[in-house]
Amino acid sequence: MVSGSTITKRLYQEVADTLIAAIGEGEYAVGDRLPAERKLAANLSVSRATIREAMIALEISGLVEIRTGSGIFVISEAAIAKSSGIHDIGPGPFELIEARTLFESEAAAIAATRISELELQELDRVCKEMTRLMEAGELAEDIDHQFHHLIALATRNSAIVSTINQMWEFRTRMPMWGKLHALISQRQGEPGWSLDRHTIVDHRRILNALRARDASAAREAMRLHLDHVKEALLKASEIDAIDLSVPQIVSSNGIGND
Ligand SMILES: [Zn+2]
């Protein structure tokens, strides 16, 4: 384990360091393609989301290059030679989504019992503004943040508000999030890319549950929304064209789309 202030490594760091060691031992040379994500996940007994985080971290460290549609390639021996493991660059984006699902679903359930009429009206305004922005093809990230922040505030619990705020702040400070966000932007115009549509429907469902003061419906609606966000992140950061080519062959008959 790493000495110093880090007590335990994040899971994606452990995976990244295992791969750095394999590259250092000559298992993969510069120019080599790393094994497919599915295979790495099985070999290292971690989820594909963790492999995805490790790869993004390795790319930020300059050790590999993610070529969407081709795979992940080792690009720097020099960097590997002087590297004694990747730096801690904050929680992984999929770790954050998992934590947000936990906190924000419960926050929505609590908010359903405490939210004011005025706050419901404000959420309605935010939903309408988000629809307008998305239909105009404009970025709706700030308005999305407002929506989630208003629900946190409606819990009337300052500890919940600050925990949720901190998770959102990680997004703006994290280089891994920036990288993932760039991948999402690249894919935004692709057919079948439905995060925006999901978001509008999901937010409305959450608002309706809050309006009905139905705690369990609000919890489920928020959970579903964040599941959609997670799916979109996984889809945006898909790398293994070869790995994914199997269902694609079937999909020429209209079967096999995810
Ligand atoms: Zn949202």
Side-chain angles (χ1 to χ4, degrees):
M1 286 284 150
V2 194
S3 59
S5 60
T6 311
I7 299 163
T8 44
K9 277 191 202 176
R10 301 183 199 279
L11 192 52
Y12 75 79
Q13 277 182 290
E14 283 184 27
V15 170
D17 289 349
T18 302
L19 288 165
I20 289 171
I23 294 165
E25 285 159 15
E27 210 173 308
Y28 310 106
V30 171
D32 280 358
R33 183 179 178 273
L34 291 179
E37 181 181 281
R38 230 179 268 271
K39 195 173 168 191
L40 283 174
N43 288 352
L44 300 171
S45 304
V46 293
S47 71
R48 293 180 75 185
T50 299
I51 297 288
R52 210 69 65 86
E53 289 175 338
M55 292 305 171
I56 296 171
L58 285 172
E59 187 174 55
I60 288 168
S61 307
L63 305 180
V64 302
E65 186 186 358
I66 298 171
R67 298 178 197 157
T68 307
S70 305
I72 296 156
F73 294 83
V74 179
I75 56 163
S76 174
E77 214 166 51
I80 292 160
K82 63 181 175 186
S83 172
S84 54
I86 58 159
H87 299 297
D88 183 3
I89 48 174
F94 294 102
E95 286 186 309
L96 267 184
I97 286 292
E98 190 171 63
R100 281 188 57 201
T101 306
L102 189 76
F103 283 97
E104 293 198 35
S105 301
E106 284 311 310
I110 295 171
T113 63
R114 299 178 186 169
I115 196 161
S116 71
E117 264 318 307
L118 212 62
E119 283 168 323
L120 286 168
Q121 282 169 25
E122 182 60 7
L123 278 175
D124 186 59
R125 187 196 63 77
V126 165
C127 279
K128 284 177 181 148
E129 177 62 5
M130 181 173 238
T131 307
R132 190 192 67 76
L133 287 172
M134 284 179 166
E135 282 173 355
E138 289 176 43
L139 278 179
E141 225 181 49
D142 287 348
I143 203 91
D144 181 41
H145 186 185
Q146 266 186 51
F147 180 86
H148 290 267
H149 182 61
L150 280 168
I151 293 171
L153 289 177
T155 64
R156 310 270 180 272
N157 180 320
S158 66
I160 292 175
V161 175
S162 62
T163 304
I164 290 174
N165 277 350
Q166 198 192 15
M167 288 188 289
W168 276 84
E169 276 169 29
F170 271 128
R171 279 167 55 118
T172 50
R173 287 194 278 117
M174 253 178 15
M176 285 177 88
W177 189 270
K179 186 84 206 158
L180 201 56
H181 199 258
L183 290 167
I184 291 175
S185 304
Q186 273 174 32
R187 305 200 69 160
Q188 210 94 50
E190 287 180 16
W193 182 261
S194 57
L195 178 60
D196 288 0
R197 192 179 303 276
H198 266 316
T199 302
I200 291 169
V201 174
D202 289 353
H203 280 198
R204 273 280 158 212
R205 188 181 294 120
I206 295 165
L207 175 55
N208 289 340
L210 293 174
R211 209 177 257 143
R213 316 227 170 244
D214 185 335
S216 77
R219 179 188 294 114
E220 278 318 300
M222 182 63 84
R223 183 180 298 276
L224 183 69
H225 173 44
L226 293 171
D227 280 351
H228 286 149
V229 175
K230 182 187 169 188
E231 279 167 29
L233 293 184
L234 279 169
K235 196 165 180 176
S237 58
E238 260 169 16
I239 298 150
D240 296 335
I242 293 169
D243 202 10
L244 297 168
S245 66
V246 182
Q248 274 168 21
I249 293 165
V250 187
S251 74
S252 60
N253 296 326
I255 317 160
N257 290 331
D258 39 291

